[in-house]
Amino acid sequence: MTTSTRRDPYDGFPGRIGRTFAASEPAWPAPRTPGEKAPNIVVVLVDDMGYSDIGPFGSEIATPVLDGLAEDGVRLSNYHTMPLCSPARAALLTGLNPHRVGYAMVANSDPGFPGYGMEIADDIPTLAELLHDSGYATYAVGKWHLVRDSASNAADDRDNWPLRKGFDQYYGVLEGLTSLFHPHQLVRDNSPLDIDELPDDYYYTDDITDQAISMVKSLRAHDPDKPFFLYLAHNAVHGPLQAKEEDIARHRGRYDEGWDALRERRFAAQIADGLFPPGTELPERNSEAGQDVPAWDSLTEEQQRLYARYMEVYAALVDNIDQNLGRLTATLDALGELDNTIIVFTSDNGGTGEGGAEGTRSYFSRFVHHPALPGDWTPDVDRDPELIGGPRSLVHYPCGWGMASNTPFRLYKGHTYAGGVRVPFVLSWHRGARDGRLTPGVRPQYQYVTDIAPTLLELAGLERPEQRRGVTLQEPDGVTFGPVLTDPDHLSTHPEQYCEMTGNRSYYRDGHKLVTLHRPGAPYDDSEWALYDIRTDPTEIHDLAAEHPDLVKELSAAWETAAWRNGVFPLPDGSGALARRNPAERRLSRPLTLLPGTPELERYRSSRLVSLRSFEVTVAVEETGEGVLVSHGDQGGGYSLYVEDGRLHFAYNEYGVLHESDAGPLSPGEHLVRLVATAEKGLRWAFTIDVDGEVRATPPSVHQLIGMAPFQGISVGVDRKSPVSWPLFERHRSFRYRGRLRSVTYIPGEPGPDSPEAVAQALKEAAAAFE
């Protein structure tokens, strides 16, 4: 006998059912609503913005919209975050420590441990899910970076894409960075968009703001009452730094005095504004090994001119963010929504030093970290300074400007020192201020990124449930700082917190902070710890570890306990484990045939066919015509085969340096065009181009494209968006092929002598030598 699972269709119905309508009483389910006065919520998250980069925190960059929000709202001067993007975003959206969520690192690794799972589990609801459950409309635009790069393609199950994590609509880029003029893969909701060309005046920050405004306008057109949650996550000011010319023009000449003078001025403004207690000292320039910054006056005039141009672009990016925030707030005001909208503005982590001491006009070349980099590798290219900030030059500023961004703190993004984790934080809510729930002003209390979600839930009048859809939820780590918003004298609601990032560690408790600057390969022991009293020494200058060994021991033991409790272990070492990938990915290096009309292959999927290996590309031409046969990459690095004026050409963009090869005429009819790349020692490729078995060109060997390059994926019969060859783009735009193609086949070859396996072995040997 089987038990029926059939449900009575009338079970639980609160009305009355008769045989006819006349004999029945109707009933309707109660609508989900968070309350009559539930506020809208807008979280604006900027990428890699330093503590001092906006007006309310000491900047000279004009940010009038943020100035107004800060004047009427609260500035948290002692707000801390994670020192890297994905972990900070996971913590912000869930209220849990990032290792517990599975984001010990950016979502570009997969070493096979729980803290690096890069998947938000079902028992960890996002803020969007909880607000949506309570009747909010939920929208996300911009950077996501909470889905592993290997799961960012159109064949993925999308479990960690925004729409599966509580958002009704999404528009933006799933990965951690992109070109602001030619974003490499835009996604709308659950679908990558297949775009050949973007308008000449396209700019990504404007675009995502347009999309956000459109979402809000559409909501109000359809429902006058439903509150909304908007997560506006900028890719700016993350590298590559790119800004509109009219924005750059406003900042010309403003940074000729250099980073030392800028840092002094910003610090003076911060002290005058009460962001730090009297007696706070400005540290000397960063001088730690590998992080040191030269004195501005020690630079040549040529270096000063070049470096100042980088900062002009950065300032233009900040300027543009404020302009777009103004467009959004003006829309809310026009709709009558601004008064009851909570606006949070902050950064995911501190300003970065990844541009190196000199900065770069070749972002992906500078971004490469490989133990076998050859001596002739250049992290910069000689480009016309007039191109800096535009679509043809993928630049980043020197770390001296990153130091100035983080004024008055030490070090950068990636570090657990304050430069990596203390960022600006502004919260504005006009109705809340009138109702006594928010007292405008500066707050010196320590608060943490995990506190944002519980605070916003509390301000919305909502409680976090213990269960959701039959699943018992994990407890949060964050604590609401609502009482701090109301009462300037209220104690911090978050008195204790561990942190870890790529081996850099810290532990905060009641004003004392234990912190390390970990040297890769060095042992993890108590000799690494430095101790600071950040109540009197917020800039972490005076190490008290030798004076208080018992406190060092106590806090280091607390760190150890917290690390085990939160899934921090194992810590990175010299084994090369962070370069390891799931063995299931080996299927991605099988031969692949792409047919005409195939949408652009996603970046990571494309890279598995060529990265650190030899490879072949065979193009089956059914009828010769003009146009691009195949392209892979962009202005930051890539290659393409194309036919122009009846001749076959091979273009190779070596991190911004363009090499062109003429492979001779391509006669009418059918042909097999083959590009063969042989991986050589020293991270080089030797190319051969042949047609129907006849070798046509053997250009000189070039540096391989590795790391994040090529950043744009493979396209068949067109060079989409950012081109490999800018001169070709100027002549023909995306240059869609006008003949007939049968297919393009990639055949990945053997891993090269500098393959991941070789990398792991080199790292092991280096670690053994160090020890």
Side-chain angles (χ1 to χ4, degrees):
M1 181 177 178
T2 60
T3 302
S4 174
T5 58
R6 187 183 186 91
R7 180 173 62 84
D8 182 347
Y10 304 116
D11 185 35
F13 178 65
R16 181 167 57 83
I17 302 296
R19 289 183 58 81
T20 65
F21 279 110
S24 305
E25 293 182 3
W28 290 270
R32 293 179 303 170
T33 175
E36 185 180 350
K37 292 186 177 181
N40 303 316
I41 299 171
V42 176
V43 173
V44 181
L45 185 66
V46 184
D47 200 351
D48 288 4
M49 174 176 276
Y51 186 88
S52 71
D53 281 334
I54 59 174
F57 284 79
S59 181
E60 74 297 334
I61 303 169
T63 54
V65 178
L66 282 166
D67 293 351
L69 295 176
E71 183 68 25
D72 297 332
V74 166
R75 284 175 285 171
L76 297 184
S77 63
N78 197 9
Y79 168 77
H80 286 62
T81 181
M82 282 293 290
L84 220 54
C85 357
S86 301
R89 290 156 200 273
L92 187 155
L93 285 174
T94 66
L96 274 69
N97 290 324
H99 297 84
R100 285 182 63 201
V101 191
Y103 292 84
M105 183 63 173
V106 290
N108 299 82
S109 61
D110 189 15
F113 298 104
Y116 297 82
M118 310 299 172
E119 295 179 353
I120 303 175
D122 291 341
D123 60 355
I124 303 176
T126 67
L127 176 61
E129 288 174 308
L130 296 176
L131 290 172
H132 191 275
D133 289 350
S134 299
Y136 271 74
T138 52
Y139 307 121
V141 297
K143 173 174 171 173
W144 183 240
H145 212 195
L146 288 173
V147 58
R148 189 185 300 114
D149 51 9
S150 58
S152 296
N153 61 77
D156 187 63
D157 59 16
R158 294 165 167 80
D159 273 354
N160 274 279
W161 291 32
L163 264 60
R164 297 278 184 91
K165 293 304 167 187
F167 289 101
D168 293 321
Q169 291 181 255
Y170 170 70
Y171 178 88
V173 171
L174 294 177
E175 285 204 275
L177 59 103
T178 198
S179 164
L180 301 186
F181 290 106
H182 299 113
H184 66 292
Q185 187 187 63
L186 287 167
V187 172
R188 185 181 296 282
D189 297 333
N190 258 353
S191 300
L193 300 177
D194 203 28
I195 299 170
D196 280 4
E197 297 177 9
L198 292 158
D200 287 342
D201 63 350
Y202 178 88
Y203 191 64
Y204 176 78
T205 306
D206 296 343
D207 185 16
I208 61 173
T209 304
D210 288 342
Q211 298 292 329
I213 289 172
S214 177
M215 291 172 185
V216 172
K217 285 181 176 178
S218 177
L219 173 67
R220 280 298 163 259
H222 291 88
D223 190 320
D225 302 317
K226 191 173 191 177
F228 65 85
F229 168 47
L230 170 63
Y231 175 57
L232 201 172
H234 287 285
N235 284 78
V237 289
H238 194 293
L241 306 181
Q242 296 176 311
K244 298 193 292 186
E245 181 54 43
E246 59 266 34
D247 291 332
I248 298 174
R250 279 193 296 280
H251 301 276
R252 290 292 187 214
R254 298 190 67 187
Y255 298 98
D256 293 349
E257 290 183 334
W259 45 65
D260 292 324
L262 179 66
R263 194 161 167 254
E264 294 279 356
R265 283 198 301 271
R266 289 188 175 185
F267 183 55
Q270 292 168 339
I271 294 295
D273 212 14
L275 294 174
F276 297 101
T280 299
E281 302 170 60
L282 182 66
E284 297 295 323
R285 282 183 299 273
N286 291 331
S287 59
E288 293 80 2
Q291 313 294 339
D292 53 315
V293 175
W296 183 260
D297 290 344
S298 72
L299 305 175
T300 66
E301 289 186 11
E302 182 180 4
Q303 287 174 318
Q304 289 180 352
R305 283 195 299 271
L306 176 62
Y307 296 176
R309 295 297 294 269
Y310 291 128
M311 187 60 192
E312 292 166 2
V313 175
Y314 184 86
L317 282 162
V318 176
D319 179 346
N320 181 265
I321 287 172
D322 191 75
Q323 292 175 52
N324 276 290
L325 181 56
R327 293 202 298 126
L328 175 61
T329 55
T331 301
L332 296 176
D333 194 25
L335 291 169
E337 302 281 331
L338 185 58
D339 183 64
N340 196 29
T341 297
I342 299 168
I343 298 176
V344 170
F345 182 97
T346 190
S347 176
D348 59 352
N349 48 250
T352 181
E354 68 189 16
E358 305 86 17
T360 184
R361 289 157 288 183
S362 180
Y363 182 75
F364 292 125
S365 178
R366 170 70 70 179
F367 204 78
V368 166
H369 300 283
H370 193 290
L373 276 185
D376 64 346
W377 191 276
T378 174
D380 191 14
V381 296
D382 187 11
R383 302 295 293 271
D384 184 347
E386 292 302 315
L387 299 178
I388 289 176
R392 297 178 59 185
S393 187
L394 278 63
V395 308
H396 215 314
Y397 63 17
C399 60
W401 295 122
M403 177 186 66
S405 288
N406 292 332
T407 301
F409 303 123
R410 295 171 55 191
L411 296 172
Y412 313 97
K413 167 186 177 180
H415 298 123
T416 47
Y417 273 80
V421 298
R422 284 187 72 166
V423 294
F425 186 100
V426 175
L427 188 149
S428 172
W429 183 22
H430 298 316
R431 174 175 281 185
R434 283 203 318 276
D435 292 347
R437 302 190 64 187
L438 180 151
T439 303
V442 176
R443 300 292 191 276
Q445 292 89 333
Y446 177 98
Q447 299 297 158
Y448 194 62
V449 60
T450 53
D451 300 338
I452 292 178
T455 300
L456 293 175
L457 286 174
E458 181 191 52
L459 296 182
L462 303 173
E463 293 185 4
R464 189 179 191 270
E466 295 184 359
Q467 286 195 333
R468 180 175 185 267
R469 299 181 180 177
V471 175
T472 300
L473 304 183
Q474 292 197 44
E475 64 183 21
D477 297 299
V479 183
T480 175
F481 52 79
V484 173
L485 297 176
T486 304
D487 179 5
D489 296 321
H490 197 283
L491 293 176
S492 164
T493 61
H494 200 121
E496 197 162 351
Q497 181 63 43
Y498 87 93
C499 187
E500 185 277 333
M501 178 54 57
T502 60
N504 291 313
R505 300 172 288 160
S506 72
Y507 199 85
Y508 171 86
R509 179 187 285 169
D510 292 328
H512 282 99
K513 179 180 174 183
L514 199 65
V515 63
T516 71
L517 178 59
H518 182 69
R519 182 179 174 186
Y524 293 99
D525 58 33
D526 284 354
S527 66
E528 281 197 319
W529 293 115
L531 176 67
Y532 302 98
D533 185 342
I534 66 171
R535 295 165 298 187
T536 58
D537 181 25
T539 51
E540 300 169 345
I541 296 175
H542 304 290
D543 182 6
L544 306 176
E547 299 175 35
H548 300 285
D550 291 345
L551 185 55
V552 170
K553 185 175 182 180
E554 177 186 337
L555 295 182
S556 65
W559 184 92
E560 194 83 7
T561 299
W564 283 113
R565 188 167 183 263
N566 286 278
V568 174
F569 296 111
L571 292 171
D573 55 18
S575 67
L578 282 178
R580 186 165 53 209
R581 287 283 181 163
N582 191 324
E585 287 190 21
R586 291 171 186 156
R587 74 190 191 284
L588 302 181
S589 59
R590 296 201 298 255
L592 175 67
T593 295
L594 304 170
L595 302 179
T598 300
E600 181 179 308
L601 203 61
E602 185 272 330
R603 178 199 68 82
Y604 185 79
R605 176 66 181 96
S606 298
S607 74
R608 297 306 85 194
L609 301 170
V610 303
S611 181
L612 294 169
R613 63 170 68 245
S614 300
F615 65 93
E616 296 182 12
V617 185
T618 300
V619 183
V621 177
E622 289 187 339
E623 181 55 51
T624 301
E626 300 278 299
V628 173
L629 301 173
V630 63
S631 68
H632 183 189
D634 50 38
Q635 283 292 283
Y639 57 90
S640 67
L641 287 167
Y642 65 91
V643 181
E644 184 181 33
D645 298 330
R647 300 183 71 83
L648 176 65
H649 297 267
F650 172 59
Y652 187 82
N653 189 317
E654 189 180 24
Y655 299 102
V657 177
L658 183 63
H659 306 274
E660 294 265 16
S661 302
D662 187 331
L666 197 65
S667 60
E670 296 187 14
H671 297 285
L672 283 180
V673 177
R674 193 170 66 126
L675 174 69
V676 179
T678 302
E680 299 178 336
K681 188 72 176 175
L683 291 167
R684 302 188 75 85
W685 273 324
F687 285 103
T688 300
I689 301 98
D690 67 57
V691 177
D692 301 327
E694 174 193 355
V695 174
R696 292 287 193 86
T698 54
S701 70
V702 288
H703 288 126
Q704 294 179 30
L705 299 171
I706 62 174
M708 300 297 284
F711 199 66
Q712 200 162 283
I714 296 168
S715 288
V716 174
V718 65
D719 190 352
R720 293 183 170 99
K721 301 184 289 289
S722 179
V724 171
S725 168
W726 195 268
L728 186 69
F729 175 75
E730 288 183 321
R731 295 194 297 271
H732 302 289
R733 308 294 293 184
S734 56
F735 207 16
R736 185 169 282 277
Y737 189 64
R738 294 193 288 271
R740 288 201 313 275
L741 294 176
R742 181 181 305 117
S743 62
V744 172
T745 299
Y746 273 76
I747 303 176
E750 290 298 313
D754 305 302
S755 66
E757 295 82 1
V759 171
Q761 184 59 37
L763 287 171
K764 287 179 182 177
E765 292 171 359
F770 180 84
E771 293 172 0

